[in-house]
Amino acid sequence: MNRVGTFRRKFGKFVSLVFLVTLFGWGGYRATRWAFTIRSIEVVGENARVIIDEKRISKNLLFFPADTLRSQVLAGNPWLADVRFEKKYPGTLRIVPTLRQPIAVLRSRDRTVLVDREGVVVSDGDGGGALPLVVIDILPFRVGETITDARVRLALSLIDSLAEDLTFTKITYEGSTYLRAESGIVDIIITQDRPIGETLATLQTLLVGFRIKGTLPKVVDLRFDKPIVTN
């Protein structure tokens, strides 16, 4: 008994300390794992459908490679404008995808598709006919592809830049170098031979001036050095 008492006096505090350190360490490990291990994934977006390969995704929320995965997802899904991976402690990963929004209908030969402001083909169809119609024959393309045709990009720039000023109904390619944009109020003729930034700046200045006067012309022709306005 004396030996037991002596052992307790010599080593009792040390054993207790080791036990407490082990207990707190285990508790801390369990708490950390509970907080930083992904247990649930939330997808934010009404029309978003996400398929997750749990074998390939990191389970560690703290060191989750959000930027790397974002780049990979965008590269493989061109109809996404953006995607964010948000860490929501404890244990939840939020995926916030942003779908590309079409701004025009492109009709090329026997094909009709929806395209966004960057020229990405979002889907087949005309979206119900509510968007501006761009009629330009170009080389074959597929959904998800970015159209690089200069005429189409010019038409999209015109639609996107003047969305707050004019609502276009139809843009067609006429002649050899110019487009005609119809709004139902004023027709605008622009050429490919001038930088689009310069053309848009001139057009916006003209529209502001016409609105101050309280009337818009029937045609604004920007193919030449000086705009030609027809009332």
Side-chain angles (χ1 to χ4, degrees):
M1 292 295 294
N2 291 334
R3 291 181 178 179
V4 173
T6 301
F7 179 82
R8 287 178 177 176
R9 286 194 300 274
K10 289 184 176 180
F11 301 104
K13 292 182 179 180
F14 175 75
V15 171
S16 298
L17 180 61
V18 171
F19 174 76
L20 290 175
V21 170
T22 303
L23 180 63
F24 282 115
W26 180 83
Y29 167 76
R30 295 291 297 179
T32 300
R33 185 174 181 181
W34 178 77
F36 296 144
T37 298
I38 298 175
R39 297 186 304 280
S40 64
I41 298 176
E42 298 177 358
V43 179
V44 181
E46 295 181 359
N47 299 320
R49 180 173 177 266
V50 178
I51 299 176
I52 300 172
D53 186 350
E54 296 186 359
K55 295 180 180 179
R56 298 180 62 183
I57 194 170
S58 172
K59 297 295 192 300
N60 191 310
L61 188 61
L62 182 62
F63 299 107
F64 187 82
D67 292 338
T68 300
L69 190 58
R70 174 182 177 274
S71 299
Q72 294 174 351
V73 170
L74 290 178
N77 300 275
W79 51 86
L80 284 178
D82 194 12
V83 60
R84 299 198 316 273
F85 295 92
E86 301 176 349
K87 302 171 184 179
K88 183 180 177 182
Y89 297 101
T92 299
L93 177 67
R94 285 165 53 94
I95 303 176
V96 187
T98 302
L99 300 177
R100 292 186 178 277
Q101 298 299 317
I103 66 168
V105 176
L106 171 64
R107 181 180 297 164
S108 174
R109 298 183 176 88
D110 58 349
R111 186 92 182 272
T112 301
V113 296
L114 298 174
V115 292
D116 79 340
R117 63 191 303 269
E118 296 177 355
V120 177
V121 181
V122 177
S123 66
D124 286 294
D126 63 0
L131 296 174
L133 174 63
V134 178
V135 182
I136 300 175
D137 289 340
I138 62 175
L139 295 175
F141 51 85
R142 64 182 184 277
V143 173
E145 182 178 349
T146 300
I147 295 175
T148 58
D149 186 276
R151 299 165 298 171
V152 175
R153 301 307 291 265
L154 181 60
L156 294 176
S157 295
L158 187 65
I159 293 170
D160 185 46
S161 300
L162 298 179
E164 297 182 359
D165 299 303
L166 286 176
T167 300
F168 293 105
T169 56
K170 187 177 182 180
I171 298 179
T172 53
Y173 180 64
E174 298 184 359
S176 58
T177 61
Y178 67 91
L179 302 176
R180 177 181 290 270
E182 304 172 17
S183 69
I185 300 174
V186 56
D187 287 2
I188 297 171
I189 302 175
I190 59 176
T191 179
Q192 294 176 254
D193 296 337
R194 296 177 61 189
I196 182 60
E198 178 183 331
T199 298
L200 290 173
T202 300
L203 185 55
Q204 288 170 335
T205 301
L206 288 173
L207 291 175
V208 170
F210 289 133
R211 284 202 165 85
I212 292 175
K213 294 178 180 179
T215 181
L216 287 174
K218 291 183 179 180
V219 179
V220 175
D221 192 339
L222 299 177
R223 288 177 293 173
F224 311 103
D225 293 337
K226 293 184 179 180
I228 298 177
V229 178
T230 304
N231 293 317

